[in-house]
């Protein structure tokens, strides 16, 4: 990615240009110390003087209202606010109404405030105080954050509403990236001159940095894509066009510098796509070096390459190319304006713009448009929205502990309409891509950097949210099977079968692949996980490719087709403990106890092999099911299965076996059966430890009751015979 610079031969302003702002993607306003406000038309290259300011007014900053969200109906910004130096450097921050009425004075300090920025939710303000940065909430008495950010005076700040990250630039010749808690994420090398401007692109993926004769384009993590050296003097202000494709810079020598972002690159399998010009893309197939050129009517704004399709949005249209045929794209007009995000799944893709979220098939058919109260599409990104073949997941911005789940085909809330709620704020979400809708899982990282997994199916009962790992910074699901990978502190971890946590959490560590990740330096990021190739971007911007074993994916394929013999054969061929552990969990999840027994034996879990054997000998289908559920730790569900089948004694017995004495007695009393059995086992248990009964309920029911083990054993034998007979009569009935 780089910047294509354009600069007029002669400057249009006679003095230093202090501020710049876009009204549309083709129109820019600039202000200068020559007291002129000039309008630039980038299509016709014309400039007009709009206003000549009084001689004692020197403009400092310019901001258009309303902020153009790239919606067609809102063709351009209506009015702008201009600040000038005659206000004085009084160290005050005041909030005004649109009509110019003073609402409040937010801060008063002894040093000048050189830069301010609204927080993403407009409930906080970030401002400079010498070398310090301060975040002040608008609510009175709320906690103020303050930290020393630079060794020189801070000249410029910006706070992005999509990624919630802060930029700062100072006289110490450095620019820095911070999170909203004031933690330093990136610290640049010192430049030759003070950094005079920084600005986020609207989508928060990249930012621009201005200094003396210097314009730099950087990734959100801080590393540089490109460095340009235009003859501009210091660049005092940078503004991005609303579509994030161009920047305008206010220059110290009277020039206004314009730059286009070009040479963005997208990769998928053997295809490389590069944006070579504003309206041209080059596609290269690296297998045979074949090159195709794609021409567009309007400038390209966003693109995504995945699942054998390239989706490109221009300012007015959307193009869908198949990797099998680059000559005949499917083209349709966009509903609203500027697309800020494109997400792809195997069957369809999602477009996000200022007006909404739209799901389309690769044939260009509109499918659905999910909505929820207070939805703000301008702040959604790839970390807060996830798409699979049947589900759309969106993290709520108003309450960051909530994930909204929608059915892809209708856009309606999933299941009983309840959203997914977590105890902490959620940072990143990702849906798995394969398998049945009923098994769809969402993985997410919360603000403590813990990784969780849960089912998206939400009917009545609260689905378990289970922790998979700690200190996870970035995650990705494989595009072709349900394997999850993440960067954990100093390790790269692959969860070959994450669903293991639902069936046998004890063997989860045996299903993982771990590799030292310290070589990827601080804050690496997973870019993609295609097939068995994981691509990681290191903190310096370089890409690292990791190949993982292809066998777990083949194993998942065999299991999903119920080819258990092939699965066992594959594990015997590979001879790896991780494969056997994955197969054990898969077999248990699919209730194939024969395969589970073989797999558990292979990983040396002898006690579990014995338990599986005892399950196989149980007389009824319900008992087997209940004990499989118990094996996975789902005690309540096991009890429900038995009670629904009328196997009350068996439900009581599993509670006795687990020493759930209160529940065992409660069931016996409720169903008026086996009270003496419960009391007998309780007494035996206490005698083993030489203790006496102290539980009031047990004392109450034991009063006047004689425990007769012969009678109890006979009753138990009768229950088992009854269950066996019932089950054989059922199977006879099925045969007839």
């Amino acid at each position: 990615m780089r910047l294509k610079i354009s600069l007029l031969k002669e400057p249009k302003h006679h003095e230093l240009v202090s501020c710049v702002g876009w009204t549309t993607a083709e129109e820019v306003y600039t202000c200068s110390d020559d007291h002129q406000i000039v309008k630039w038309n980038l299509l016709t290259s014309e400039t007009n003087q709009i206003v000549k300011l009084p001689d004692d007014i020197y403009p400092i900053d310019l901001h258009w209202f309303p902020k153009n969200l790239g919606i067609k109906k809102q063709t351009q910004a209506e009015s702008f606010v201009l600040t000038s130096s005659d206000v004085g450097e009084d160290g005050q921050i005041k909030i005004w109404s649109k009509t110019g009425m003073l609402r409040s004075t937010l801060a008063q300090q002894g040093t000048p405030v050189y830069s301010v920025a609204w927080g993403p939710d407009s409930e906080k303000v970030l401002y400079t105080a010498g070398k310090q940065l301060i975040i002040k909430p608008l609510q009175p008495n709320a906690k103020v954050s303050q930290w020393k950010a630079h060794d020189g005076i801070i000249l410029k700040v910006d706070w992005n509403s999509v990624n919630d990250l802060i930029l700062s630039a100072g006289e110490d010749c450095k620019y820095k990236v911070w999170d909203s808690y004031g933690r330093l994420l990136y610290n640049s090398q010192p430049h030759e001159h003070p950094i005079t401007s920084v600005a986020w692109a609207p989508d928060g993926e990249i930012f621009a940095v201005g200094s003396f004769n210097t314009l730099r384009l950087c990734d959100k993590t801080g590393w540089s894509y490109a460095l340009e050296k235009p003859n501009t003097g210091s660049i005092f202000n940078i503004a991005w066009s609303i579509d994030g494709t161009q920047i305008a810079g206010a220059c110290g020598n009277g020039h206004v510098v314009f730059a286009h972002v070009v040479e963005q690159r997208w990769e998928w399998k053997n295809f490389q796509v590069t944006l070579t010009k504003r309206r041209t893309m080059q596609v290269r197939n690296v297998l045979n070096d074949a090159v195709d050129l794609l021409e567009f009517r309007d400038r390209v704004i966003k693109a995504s390459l995945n699942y054998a399709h390239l989706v490109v949005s221009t300012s007015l249209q959307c193009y869908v190319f198949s990797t099998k045929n680059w000559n005949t794209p499917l083209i349709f007009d966009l509903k609203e304006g500027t697309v800020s995000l494109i997400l792809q799944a195997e069957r369809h893709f999602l477009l996000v713009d200022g007006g909404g979220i739209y799901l389309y098939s690769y044939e260009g058919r509109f499918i659905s448009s999910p909505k929820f109260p207070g939805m703000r599409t301008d702040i959604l990104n790839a970390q807060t929205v996830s798409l699979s073949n049947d589900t759309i997941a969106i993290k709520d911005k108003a309450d960051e502990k909530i994930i909204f789940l929608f059915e892809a085909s209708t856009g309606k809330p999933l299941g009983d309409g309840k959203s997914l709620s977590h105890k902490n704020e959620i940072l990143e979400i990702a849906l798995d891509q394969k398998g049945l809708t009923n098994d769809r899982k969402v993985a997410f990282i919360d603000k403590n950097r813990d990784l969780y997994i849960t089912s998206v199916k939400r009917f009545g009962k609260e689905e378990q949210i289970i922790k998979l790992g700690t200190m996870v910074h970035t995650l990705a699901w494989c595009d072709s099977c349900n394997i999850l990978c993440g960067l954990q502190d100093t390790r790269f971890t692959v969860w070959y079968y994450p669903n293991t946590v639902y069936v046998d959490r004890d063997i989860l560590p045996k299903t993982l692949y771990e590799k030292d990740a310290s070589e990827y330096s601080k804050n690496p990021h997973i870019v993609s996980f295609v097939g068995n190739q994981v691509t990681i971007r290191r903190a310096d911007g370089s890409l690292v490719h990791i190949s993982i074993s292809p066998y777990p994916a083949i194993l998942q394929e065999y299991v999903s087709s119920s080819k258990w013999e092939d699965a066992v054969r594959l594990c015997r061929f590979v001879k790896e403990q991780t494969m056997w552990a994955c197969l054990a969990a898969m077999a248990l999840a699919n209730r194939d106890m024969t395969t589970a027994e073989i797999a558990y034996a292979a990983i040396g879990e002898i006690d579990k092999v014995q338990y599986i054997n005892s399950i196989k000998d149980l007389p009824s289908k319900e008992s087997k099911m209940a004990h499989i559920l118990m094996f996975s730790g789902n005690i309540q569900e096991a009890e429900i299965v038995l009670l629904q089948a009328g196997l009350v004694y068996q439900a009581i017995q599993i509670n006795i076996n687990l020493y759930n004495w209160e529940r065992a007695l409660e069931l016996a009393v409720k169903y008026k059966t086996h009270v003496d059995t419960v009391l007998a086992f309780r007494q035996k248990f206490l005698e083993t430890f030489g203790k006496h009964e102290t539980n009031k309920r047990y004392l109450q029911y034991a009063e006047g009751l004689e425990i007769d083990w012969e009678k109890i054993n006979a009753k138990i034998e009768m229950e088992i015979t009854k269950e066996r007979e019932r089950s054989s009569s059922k199977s006879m009935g099925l045969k007839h």
Side-chain angles (χ1 to χ4, degrees):
M1 203 186 295
R2 68 177 183 85
L3 290 169
K4 191 178 177 189
I5 299 274
S6 58
L7 204 59
L8 295 176
K9 280 183 182 167
E10 294 297 320
K12 291 290 177 186
H13 288 283
H14 313 306
E15 300 275 348
L16 171 156
V17 183
S18 54
C19 34
V20 58
W22 298 78
T23 53
T24 66
E26 285 84 29
E27 191 177 85
V28 172
Y29 279 63
T30 57
C31 312
S32 160
D33 282 5
D34 62 8
H35 313 291
Q36 289 187 77
I37 298 180
V38 173
K39 179 169 90 170
W40 304 65
N41 185 321
L42 302 188
L43 286 179
T44 60
S45 302
E46 288 175 2
T47 53
N48 299 313
Q49 181 184 314
I50 301 299
V51 177
K52 178 83 166 68
L53 298 168
D55 287 351
D56 59 341
I57 289 183
Y58 291 88
I60 298 171
D61 211 347
L62 160 80
H63 193 86
W64 280 95
F65 179 86
K67 182 179 163 193
N68 189 325
L69 295 176
I71 303 172
K72 280 184 187 168
K73 294 167 200 158
Q74 179 190 336
T75 47
Q76 71 180 68
E78 308 279 310
S79 51
F80 65 87
V81 62
L82 184 73
T83 57
S84 69
S85 60
D86 65 332
V87 175
E89 297 181 340
D90 59 3
Q92 295 190 359
I93 294 178
K94 297 179 179 179
I95 296 176
W96 305 81
S97 73
K98 211 172 125 186
T99 53
M101 298 283 287
L102 178 63
R103 288 262 176 91
S104 65
T105 300
L106 189 69
Q108 290 177 305
Q109 59 182 37
T111 50
V113 177
Y114 287 120
S115 188
V116 293
W118 284 100
D121 50 10
S122 300
E123 287 174 6
K124 298 186 189 92
V125 170
L126 164 73
Y127 61 93
T128 67
K131 301 171 185 179
Q132 306 268 325
L133 282 179
I134 299 171
I135 296 176
K136 174 122 191 223
L138 301 191
Q139 285 172 314
N141 307 324
K143 188 173 172 280
V144 176
S145 304
Q146 180 170 352
W147 69 95
K148 187 191 174 192
H150 285 261
D151 293 326
I153 288 170
I154 302 166
L155 300 174
K156 201 77 179 167
V157 292
D158 197 11
W159 195 346
N160 185 263
S161 59
V162 180
N163 62 29
D164 199 21
L165 298 179
I166 291 166
L167 292 174
S168 63
E171 283 190 348
D172 58 359
C173 307
K174 289 180 174 185
Y175 63 89
K176 300 185 183 187
V177 184
W178 310 85
D179 69 9
S180 55
Y181 301 103
R183 289 182 294 219
L184 182 65
L185 303 179
Y186 182 82
N187 182 5
S188 79
Q189 292 296 316
H191 288 55
E192 289 173 29
H193 302 278
I195 308 290
T196 43
S197 52
V198 280
W200 282 110
D203 66 2
E205 290 300 313
I206 50 178
F207 64 88
V209 177
S211 182
F212 181 79
N213 285 356
T214 301
L215 186 58
R216 195 180 273 278
L217 182 68
C218 303
D219 183 78
K220 66 180 174 191
T221 53
W223 57 272
S224 286
Y225 279 110
L227 173 65
E228 302 294 335
K229 289 285 193 179
N231 182 22
T232 54
S234 289
I235 298 174
F236 288 107
N237 213 318
I238 294 171
W240 284 85
S241 61
I242 186 61
D243 58 19
T245 61
Q246 349 176 36
I247 54 178
C251 310
N253 62 4
H255 271 294
V256 176
V257 64
F258 293 98
H260 278 98
V261 179
V262 289
E263 289 186 25
Q264 280 158 289
R265 185 170 288 170
W266 298 266
E267 290 182 1
W268 181 77
K269 291 191 175 175
N270 50 303
F271 292 101
Q272 260 185 3
V273 177
T274 309
L275 181 69
T276 50
K277 296 178 188 166
R278 295 171 65 185
R279 294 195 273 265
T280 310
M281 281 180 156
Q282 184 194 74
V283 181
R284 182 181 293 277
N285 183 340
V286 296
L287 290 181
N288 57 13
D289 231 16
V291 173
D292 288 273
L293 281 182
L294 314 178
E295 301 280 350
F296 302 92
R297 194 185 71 185
D298 308 293
R299 72 183 178 285
V300 171
I301 288 168
K302 283 275 172 214
S304 176
L305 176 62
N306 218 332
Y307 295 102
H309 288 89
L310 171 68
V311 181
V312 180
S313 74
T314 67
S315 43
L316 298 169
Q317 292 174 310
C318 181
Y319 293 70
V320 183
F321 297 86
S322 164
T323 54
K324 295 187 183 98
N325 180 4
W326 296 104
N327 301 320
T328 51
L330 189 133
I331 307 169
F332 60 89
D333 291 339
L334 292 168
K335 280 188 184 300
E336 291 286 351
T338 305
V339 169
S340 57
L341 180 66
I342 303 172
L343 286 181
Q344 288 177 259
E346 189 184 17
R347 292 184 197 153
H348 41 229
F349 65 94
L350 197 68
L351 297 181
V352 178
D353 66 21
I357 299 168
Y358 310 99
L359 188 69
Y360 290 92
S361 71
Y362 287 112
E363 291 74 49
R365 182 174 59 82
F366 172 71
I367 299 169
S368 67
S369 178
K371 290 178 177 63
F372 58 88
M375 180 168 86
R376 276 187 63 190
T377 54
D378 58 315
I379 54 174
L380 296 176
N381 64 7
Q383 280 73 50
T384 54
V385 189
S386 188
L387 176 68
S388 73
N389 282 337
D390 41 55
T391 310
I392 301 166
I394 304 169
K395 188 189 85 169
D396 188 16
K397 186 67 187 172
D399 182 352
E400 303 210 33
K401 296 174 182 176
I402 283 175
I403 300 172
F404 289 107
L405 299 160
F406 300 94
E407 204 175 81
S409 56
T410 62
K412 290 182 177 152
L414 208 60
D416 55 11
K418 276 188 196 157
S419 53
L420 190 158
S421 182
H422 184 53
K423 58 180 187 258
N424 293 321
E425 284 95 350
I426 295 164
L427 300 179
E428 186 173 347
I429 63 174
L431 288 162
D432 63 8
Q433 296 297 312
K434 285 292 182 182
L436 304 167
T437 313
N438 278 350
D439 296 330
R440 182 71 54 237
K441 300 285 187 293
V442 62
F444 61 86
I445 300 171
D446 70 9
K447 74 164 188 184
N448 294 336
R449 294 284 170 195
D450 289 332
L451 171 65
Y452 290 87
I453 188 169
T454 186
S455 173
V456 302
K457 215 177 43 184
R458 291 193 127 51
F459 279 107
K461 77 179 176 72
E462 199 56 44
E463 287 291 339
Q464 274 182 301
I465 296 177
I466 304 178
K467 190 190 283 193
L468 268 183
T470 56
M471 294 307 292
V472 180
H473 299 279
T474 171
L475 80 158
W477 286 99
C478 177
D479 67 334
S480 53
C481 62
N482 290 340
I483 294 176
L484 179 67
C485 72
L487 283 160
Q488 256 187 301
D489 211 7
T490 56
R491 300 189 313 284
F492 168 69
T493 306
V494 181
W495 289 265
Y496 283 133
Y497 186 57
N499 285 3
T500 304
V501 290
Y502 288 97
V503 288
D504 185 357
R505 203 183 292 197
D506 298 346
I507 64 164
L508 181 68
K510 292 183 179 177
T511 65
L512 306 182
Y513 166 73
E514 291 186 309
K515 176 184 192 303
D516 179 49
S518 51
E519 61 183 283
Y520 308 139
S521 65
K522 198 183 163 198
N523 294 335
H525 175 72
I526 297 170
V527 178
S528 65
F529 187 177
V530 178
N532 67 327
Q533 289 280 330
V534 179
T535 304
I536 293 171
R537 196 179 285 282
R538 298 200 315 198
D540 62 1
S542 60
L543 291 173
V544 181
H545 301 283
I546 301 174
S547 290
I548 64 163
S549 167
Y551 297 121
I554 299 168
L555 187 67
Q556 282 197 18
E557 217 166 281
Y558 282 153
V559 169
S560 63
S561 316
S562 298
K563 295 179 177 171
W564 295 104
E565 285 177 13
D566 291 346
V568 171
R569 212 172 289 129
L570 177 68
C571 290
R572 284 185 178 141
F573 167 72
V574 179
K575 297 188 183 74
E576 271 180 19
Q577 193 186 34
T578 44
M579 290 286 285
W580 283 115
C582 288
L583 182 60
M586 289 173 188
L588 204 57
N590 289 277
R591 318 272 187 258
D592 189 302
M593 302 320 279
T594 309
T595 309
E597 190 182 347
I598 297 166
Y600 273 109
I603 56 172
E605 300 270 351
I606 304 307
D607 53 338
K608 289 179 181 175
V609 173
Q610 287 169 339
Y611 188 56
I612 289 166
N613 260 321
S614 70
I615 292 174
K616 283 159 77 178
D617 294 338
L618 289 170
S620 71
K621 194 176 83 183
E622 290 85 1
S623 269
K624 284 177 184 168
M625 178 72 168
H627 280 269
I628 291 168
L629 285 166
M630 277 177 65
F631 191 114
S632 307
N634 301 316
I635 316 300
Q636 250 179 315
E637 284 177 47
E639 188 188 281
I640 290 164
V641 166
L642 293 169
L643 291 175
Q644 282 175 347
L647 301 171
V648 178
Y649 159 69
Q650 285 80 347
I652 293 168
Q653 189 62 52
I654 63 168
N655 280 293
I656 291 171
N657 293 348
L658 293 165
Y659 309 123
N660 290 343
W661 298 111
E662 291 277 348
R663 181 67 181 153
L665 185 60
E666 192 185 315
L667 288 172
V669 171
K670 184 180 175 184
Y671 290 96
K672 301 185 176 67
T673 180
H674 285 282
V675 176
D676 56 343
T677 308
V678 177
L679 292 170
F681 276 102
R682 169 78 171 179
Q683 190 183 25
K684 193 176 174 183
F685 168 75
L686 291 171
E687 280 169 5
T688 311
F689 295 99
K691 299 243 170 127
H692 293 288
E693 186 61 78
T694 53
N695 186 304
K696 282 180 183 171
R697 287 202 72 193
Y698 272 90
L699 288 168
Q700 179 195 335
Y701 286 102
E703 217 173 284
L705 192 77
E706 198 66 45
I707 287 170
D708 182 345
W709 273 106
E710 268 186 40
K711 195 172 150 193
I712 289 166
N713 287 331
K715 243 173 32 172
I716 291 171
E717 195 55 51
M718 198 175 80
E719 291 281 8
I720 292 164
T721 310
K722 208 160 67 180
E723 184 185 352
R724 199 170 278 123
E725 281 170 2
R726 211 184 75 165
S727 134
S728 62
S729 67
K730 258 191 187 176
S731 59
M732 289 292 285
L734 284 171
K735 281 176 190 170
H736 288 309

